[in-house]
């Protein structure tokens, strides 16, 4: 094969092309999980969602489990990136950063039907899957430490004594519980109501600064 035949639209066929294809599979997995549930996703449902042939998965992943784990891991990384970016954009005040993280948790690109359902599947299935549990731990533990650090700083700035570790867990579990509630019945728990509930939790523990 000539070198010119190895190029696609002016660039060499290589890792970048593979990453594009892998991303397309991740999107397909999220769609398949949202439609069928984590346990009932099959190679066939993934390929139907992606519009690819069944044999193509083998060129990029060792099997269905590897593809599912990769997709869930990507969702976890995207959540971490989006919340961190939101916090940094909020400025230096730790209280503002906490509110920014809450807002990011209930808005796109974090809060979309597919991503929420993938996360709910991750949380509900981790107990029976060591690989999923490891993904869950790798995101949750640093995230909890980051929240606790911001909460301690916010408490110090406002002269409020709190247990930052416990409050961080409370906010995390409230967020996750509201996500699960939305997944079960979006007509009862909306994203806006979930976000408002988390903002109110922060405001209950951190009163406004004294003028």
């Amino acid at each position: 094969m000539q070198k010119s035949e190895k190029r696609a639209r002016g660039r060499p066929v290589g890792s970048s092309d593979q990453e594009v294809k892998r991303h397309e599979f991740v999107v397909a997995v999220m769609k398949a999980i949202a439609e069928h549930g984590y346990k009932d996703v099959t190679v066939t449902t993934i390929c139907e969602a992606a519009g690819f042939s069944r044999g193509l998965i083998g060129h990029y992943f060792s099997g269905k489990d590897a593809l599912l784990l990769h997709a869930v891991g990507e969702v976890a990384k995207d959540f971490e990136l989006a919340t961190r970016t939101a916090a940094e954009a909020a400025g230096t005040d730790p209280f503002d950063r906490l509110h920014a993280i809450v807002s990011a948790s209930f808005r796109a690109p974090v809060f979309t039907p597919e991503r929420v359902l993938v996360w709910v599947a991750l949380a509900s299935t981790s107990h029976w899957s060591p690989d999923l549990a490891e993904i869950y731990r790798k995101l949750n533990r640093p995230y909890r430490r980051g929240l606790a650090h911001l909460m301690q700083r916010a408490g110090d700035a406002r002269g409020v004594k709190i247990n930052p570790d416990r409050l961080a867990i409370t906010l995390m579990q409230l967020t996750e519980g509201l996500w699960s509630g939305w997944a079960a019945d979006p007509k009862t728990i909306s994203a806006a109501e979930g976000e408002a509930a988390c903002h109110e939790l922060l405001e209950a523990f951190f009163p406004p600064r004294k003028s």
Side-chain angles (χ1 to χ4, degrees):
M1 182 180 291
Q2 299 297 320
K3 290 183 178 180
S4 60
E5 294 177 310
K6 295 181 180 180
R7 294 179 178 272
R9 295 185 181 180
R11 61 188 172 89
V13 176
S15 61
S16 59
D17 300 274
Q18 293 179 7
E19 287 305 311
V20 169
K21 194 65 66 178
R22 286 165 71 91
H23 177 72
E24 290 175 353
F25 273 120
V26 168
V27 173
V29 169
M30 289 193 292
K31 182 178 179 181
I33 291 175
E35 292 181 356
H36 304 283
Y38 186 87
K39 292 182 179 180
D40 294 326
V41 170
T42 65
V43 172
T44 298
T45 58
I46 294 169
C47 288
E48 288 176 350
F52 297 138
S53 65
R54 182 184 179 92
L56 191 59
I57 285 181
H59 290 287
Y60 299 95
F61 299 95
S62 60
K64 186 193 80 170
D65 290 341
L67 174 54
L68 290 176
L69 289 170
H70 177 75
V72 172
E74 289 300 300
V75 171
K77 287 193 294 185
D78 288 348
F79 174 84
E80 191 276 334
L81 176 61
T83 52
R84 176 161 48 84
T85 300
E88 291 173 353
T92 59
D93 188 307
F95 190 58
D96 292 341
R97 288 192 166 212
L98 288 168
H99 277 293
I101 290 171
V102 165
S103 295
S105 300
F106 288 92
R107 301 177 189 180
V110 172
F111 194 98
T112 67
E114 290 82 9
R115 289 177 182 275
V116 169
L117 290 171
V118 168
W119 185 259
V120 171
L122 168 62
S124 62
T125 312
S126 292
H127 179 75
W128 296 276
S129 170
D131 291 329
L132 285 176
E134 182 64 16
I135 292 174
Y136 192 81
R137 285 193 296 269
K138 282 184 176 179
L139 176 67
N140 267 19
R141 290 180 180 178
Y143 181 63
R144 185 177 68 191
R145 288 195 296 268
L147 285 179
H149 178 67
L150 285 175
M151 288 170 173
Q152 184 63 68
R153 287 176 54 202
D156 292 344
R158 284 164 171 74
V160 177
K161 291 184 178 180
I162 60 166
N163 183 320
D165 293 323
R166 187 181 303 153
L167 184 55
I169 292 173
T170 301
L171 179 60
M172 289 173 60
Q173 293 307 118
L174 176 59
T175 300
E176 193 169 285
L178 288 164
W179 280 20
S180 297
W182 177 89
D185 186 4
K187 293 184 178 179
T188 299
I189 301 177
S190 67
E193 284 296 321
E195 179 182 342
C198 292
H199 285 307
E200 288 173 358
L201 174 70
L202 292 176
E203 290 165 0
F205 278 87
F206 302 104
R209 293 177 183 270
K210 295 181 180 180
S211 56

